[in-house]
Amino acid sequence: MQKIEHVGIAVKELSVSVPLFEKLLNTKCYKTETVDSEQVNTAFFALGENKIELLEANSEASVINKFISKKGEGLHHIAFEVEDIEAEIKRLKDEGFTLLNEKPKQGADNKMVCFLHPKETNGVLIELVMERKVRTE
Ligand code: ZN
């Protein structure tokens, strides 16, 4: 794994939390994006090399909705950048970790992503992210 790519924070309302984080970080949200596969709306802030991702549920069935009703708003996941997500998934499986999705899937911010089950990572949801290579032909 390489650097921490972003930290994900579950919030009830982006309309409240985006202005709050703009004030806190003294920087503007540079992007909002809906991720249909996760049923979330996301908002991103850049801090040097790292990012903060705010996540809001956009449906009752969203994992963020479940998370907030169980634990309340707050730290949701830490995302690590990897160079080769398939290789990293294989390495982690061989090490005995459980992956929530065995095949990388489309995440926010033009990334391929994969999540690790928090039961084996001290309760912290871990996301692997790999920049999607844009085909040029
Ligand atoms: Zn994330």
Side-chain angles (χ1 to χ4, degrees):
M1 295 193 200
Q2 295 162 302
K3 62 177 187 181
I4 291 177
E5 213 275 339
H6 66 266
V7 171
I9 298 171
V11 305
K12 283 184 186 157
E13 301 258 4
L14 284 184
S15 61
V16 173
S17 296
V18 167
L20 175 75
F21 274 78
E22 286 181 335
K23 234 188 287 177
L24 173 71
L25 304 171
N26 197 23
T27 187
K28 290 275 167 210
C29 167
Y30 72 91
K31 172 153 92 172
T32 57
E33 188 180 343
T34 295
V35 184
D36 291 325
S37 62
E38 304 289 330
Q39 298 171 300
V40 294
N41 300 320
T42 63
F44 283 91
F45 299 85
L47 290 169
E49 285 210 315
N50 309 107
K51 296 169 195 159
I52 301 287
E53 174 187 35
L54 302 183
L55 305 119
E56 166 198 76
N58 68 13
S59 91
E60 195 80 358
S62 168
V63 289
I64 294 301
N65 202 24
K66 286 179 203 149
F67 179 88
I68 288 177
S69 44
K70 235 164 88 182
K71 300 189 176 174
E73 295 179 292
L75 183 62
H76 180 257
H77 65 269
I78 299 176
F80 294 98
E81 187 170 284
V82 299
E83 211 152 76
D84 180 343
I85 198 165
E86 304 268 4
E88 199 64 19
I89 286 170
K90 186 180 178 312
R91 184 184 74 81
L92 291 164
K93 264 172 77 174
D94 290 349
E95 293 285 4
F97 291 96
T98 306
L99 296 137
L100 294 179
N101 52 298
E102 303 238 331
K103 288 262 164 263
K105 59 184 177 181
Q106 175 73 55
D109 206 25
N110 197 37
K111 306 279 199 249
M112 293 311 288
V113 305
C114 179
F115 288 91
L116 266 70
H117 200 293
K119 71 180 176 184
E120 289 148 353
T121 52
N122 289 136
V124 180
L125 180 62
I126 304 290
E127 179 183 13
L128 308 177
V129 299
M130 183 179 76
E131 191 82 42
R132 257 163 78 93
K133 308 273 184 286
V134 181
R135 286 167 148 243
T136 47
E137 79 253 60

PDB file of all heavy atoms in Angstrom, residues 2-3 25 28 30 47 52 79 93 126 132 134:
ATOM      1  N   GLN A   2       0.304   2.277  -0.571  1.00  0.00           N
ATOM      2  CA  GLN A   2       1.075   3.515  -0.627  1.00  0.00           C
ATOM      3  C   GLN A   2       0.545   4.478   0.437  1.00  0.00           C
ATOM      4  O   GLN A   2       0.441   4.107   1.582  1.00  0.00           O
ATOM      5  CB  GLN A   2       1.036   4.065  -2.039  1.00  0.00           C
ATOM      6  CG  GLN A   2       1.757   3.107  -2.976  1.00  0.00           C
ATOM      7  CD  GLN A   2       1.411   3.329  -4.416  1.00  0.00           C
ATOM      8  OE1 GLN A   2       0.262   3.268  -4.812  1.00  0.00           O
ATOM      9  NE2 GLN A   2       2.415   3.590  -5.216  1.00  0.00           N
ATOM     10  N   LYS A   3       0.202   5.657   0.056  1.00  0.00           N
ATOM     11  CA  LYS A   3      -0.223   6.654   1.055  1.00  0.00           C
ATOM     12  C   LYS A   3      -1.692   6.486   1.454  1.00  0.00           C
ATOM     13  O   LYS A   3      -2.448   5.748   0.794  1.00  0.00           O
ATOM     14  CB  LYS A   3      -0.026   8.034   0.464  1.00  0.00           C
ATOM     15  CG  LYS A   3      -0.894   8.208  -0.770  1.00  0.00           C
ATOM     16  CD  LYS A   3      -0.786   9.594  -1.360  1.00  0.00           C
ATOM     17  CE  LYS A   3      -1.803   9.732  -2.478  1.00  0.00           C
ATOM     18  NZ  LYS A   3      -1.785  11.014  -3.137  1.00  0.00           N
ATOM     19  N   LEU A  25     -11.743  23.421   7.275  1.00  0.00           N
ATOM     20  CA  LEU A  25     -10.508  23.182   6.521  1.00  0.00           C
ATOM     21  C   LEU A  25     -10.017  24.428   5.806  1.00  0.00           C
ATOM     22  O   LEU A  25      -8.907  24.458   5.295  1.00  0.00           O
ATOM     23  CB  LEU A  25     -10.728  22.059   5.498  1.00  0.00           C
ATOM     24  CG  LEU A  25     -11.226  20.721   6.072  1.00  0.00           C
ATOM     25  CD1 LEU A  25     -11.605  19.769   4.951  1.00  0.00           C
ATOM     26  CD2 LEU A  25     -10.180  20.085   6.978  1.00  0.00           C
ATOM     27  N   LYS A  28     -12.461  25.052  -0.264  1.00  0.00           N
ATOM     28  CA  LYS A  28     -13.761  24.745  -0.861  1.00  0.00           C
ATOM     29  C   LYS A  28     -13.854  23.272  -1.252  1.00  0.00           C
ATOM     30  O   LYS A  28     -12.861  22.680  -1.674  1.00  0.00           O
ATOM     31  CB  LYS A  28     -13.966  25.595  -2.132  1.00  0.00           C
ATOM     32  CG  LYS A  28     -14.182  27.065  -1.852  1.00  0.00           C
ATOM     33  CD  LYS A  28     -15.658  27.355  -1.550  1.00  0.00           C
ATOM     34  CE  LYS A  28     -15.833  28.752  -0.969  1.00  0.00           C
ATOM     35  NZ  LYS A  28     -16.987  28.839  -0.058  1.00  0.00           N
ATOM     36  N   TYR A  30     -14.261  20.572  -3.732  1.00  0.00           N
ATOM     37  CA  TYR A  30     -13.939  20.683  -5.160  1.00  0.00           C
ATOM     38  C   TYR A  30     -14.782  19.781  -6.039  1.00  0.00           C
ATOM     39  O   TYR A  30     -14.768  19.888  -7.263  1.00  0.00           O
ATOM     40  CB  TYR A  30     -12.446  20.436  -5.417  1.00  0.00           C
ATOM     41  CG  TYR A  30     -11.989  19.007  -5.262  1.00  0.00           C
ATOM     42  CD1 TYR A  30     -11.978  18.134  -6.344  1.00  0.00           C
ATOM     43  CD2 TYR A  30     -11.549  18.540  -4.031  1.00  0.00           C
ATOM     44  CE1 TYR A  30     -11.565  16.822  -6.211  1.00  0.00           C
ATOM     45  CE2 TYR A  30     -11.140  17.228  -3.877  1.00  0.00           C
ATOM     46  CZ  TYR A  30     -11.146  16.373  -4.975  1.00  0.00           C
ATOM     47  OH  TYR A  30     -10.740  15.077  -4.816  1.00  0.00           O
ATOM     48  N   LEU A  47      -6.537  18.237   0.643  1.00  0.00           N
ATOM     49  CA  LEU A  47      -5.582  18.810   1.602  1.00  0.00           C
ATOM     50  C   LEU A  47      -4.216  18.299   1.219  1.00  0.00           C
ATOM     51  O   LEU A  47      -3.850  17.181   1.585  1.00  0.00           O
ATOM     52  CB  LEU A  47      -5.902  18.351   3.023  1.00  0.00           C
ATOM     53  CG  LEU A  47      -7.167  18.900   3.660  1.00  0.00           C
ATOM     54  CD1 LEU A  47      -7.461  18.139   4.935  1.00  0.00           C
ATOM     55  CD2 LEU A  47      -7.010  20.378   3.954  1.00  0.00           C
ATOM     56  N   ILE A  52     -10.438  14.454   1.995  1.00  0.00           N
ATOM     57  CA  ILE A  52     -11.509  14.099   2.918  1.00  0.00           C
ATOM     58  C   ILE A  52     -12.735  13.849   2.047  1.00  0.00           C
ATOM     59  O   ILE A  52     -13.024  14.633   1.135  1.00  0.00           O
ATOM     60  CB  ILE A  52     -11.819  15.260   3.898  1.00  0.00           C
ATOM     61  CG1 ILE A  52     -10.600  15.663   4.715  1.00  0.00           C
ATOM     62  CG2 ILE A  52     -13.021  14.920   4.786  1.00  0.00           C
ATOM     63  CD1 ILE A  52     -10.196  14.711   5.801  1.00  0.00           C
ATOM     64  N   ALA A  79      -8.999   5.154   3.385  1.00  0.00           N
ATOM     65  CA  ALA A  79      -8.698   4.614   2.061  1.00  0.00           C
ATOM     66  C   ALA A  79      -7.205   4.721   1.769  1.00  0.00           C
ATOM     67  O   ALA A  79      -6.601   5.787   1.948  1.00  0.00           O
ATOM     68  CB  ALA A  79      -9.485   5.372   0.990  1.00  0.00           C
ATOM     69  N   LYS A  93      -6.053 -11.430   0.700  1.00  0.00           N
ATOM     70  CA  LYS A  93      -6.787 -12.694   0.845  1.00  0.00           C
ATOM     71  C   LYS A  93      -5.852 -13.778   1.360  1.00  0.00           C
ATOM     72  O   LYS A  93      -6.194 -14.526   2.279  1.00  0.00           O
ATOM     73  CB  LYS A  93      -7.382 -13.120  -0.504  1.00  0.00           C
ATOM     74  CG  LYS A  93      -8.828 -12.695  -0.667  1.00  0.00           C
ATOM     75  CD  LYS A  93      -9.353 -12.949  -2.050  1.00  0.00           C
ATOM     76  CE  LYS A  93      -9.689 -14.407  -2.292  1.00  0.00           C
ATOM     77  NZ  LYS A  93     -10.341 -14.585  -3.615  1.00  0.00           N
ATOM     78  N   ILE A 126     -11.589  -0.523   5.872  1.00  0.00           N
ATOM     79  CA  ILE A 126     -10.458  -0.140   5.015  1.00  0.00           C
ATOM     80  C   ILE A 126     -10.893  -0.217   3.555  1.00  0.00           C
ATOM     81  O   ILE A 126     -11.498  -1.194   3.131  1.00  0.00           O
ATOM     82  CB  ILE A 126      -9.254  -1.108   5.207  1.00  0.00           C
ATOM     83  CG1 ILE A 126      -8.806  -1.189   6.679  1.00  0.00           C
ATOM     84  CG2 ILE A 126      -8.102  -0.730   4.285  1.00  0.00           C
ATOM     85  CD1 ILE A 126      -8.137   0.031   7.227  1.00  0.00           C
ATOM     86  N   ARG A 132      -8.213   4.840 -11.943  1.00  0.00           N
ATOM     87  CA  ARG A 132      -8.597   4.146 -13.174  1.00  0.00           C
ATOM     88  C   ARG A 132      -7.748   4.634 -14.316  1.00  0.00           C
ATOM     89  O   ARG A 132      -7.611   5.831 -14.536  1.00  0.00           O
ATOM     90  CB  ARG A 132     -10.047   4.428 -13.496  1.00  0.00           C
ATOM     91  CG  ARG A 132     -10.955   3.285 -13.147  1.00  0.00           C
ATOM     92  CD  ARG A 132     -12.366   3.768 -13.098  1.00  0.00           C
ATOM     93  NE  ARG A 132     -12.887   3.914 -14.457  1.00  0.00           N
ATOM     94  CZ  ARG A 132     -13.574   2.940 -15.089  1.00  0.00           C
ATOM     95  NH1 ARG A 132     -13.790   1.802 -14.489  1.00  0.00           N
ATOM     96  NH2 ARG A 132     -14.039   3.121 -16.283  1.00  0.00           N
ATOM     97  N   VAL A 134      -7.141   5.578 -17.822  1.00  0.00           N
ATOM     98  CA  VAL A 134      -8.015   6.002 -18.916  1.00  0.00           C
ATOM     99  C   VAL A 134      -7.465   5.450 -20.217  1.00  0.00           C
ATOM    100  O   VAL A 134      -6.294   5.623 -20.543  1.00  0.00           O
ATOM    101  CB  VAL A 134      -8.096   7.554 -18.973  1.00  0.00           C
ATOM    102  CG1 VAL A 134      -9.028   7.987 -20.107  1.00  0.00           C
ATOM    103  CG2 VAL A 134      -8.572   8.111 -17.651  1.00  0.00           C
TER     104      VAL A 134
END
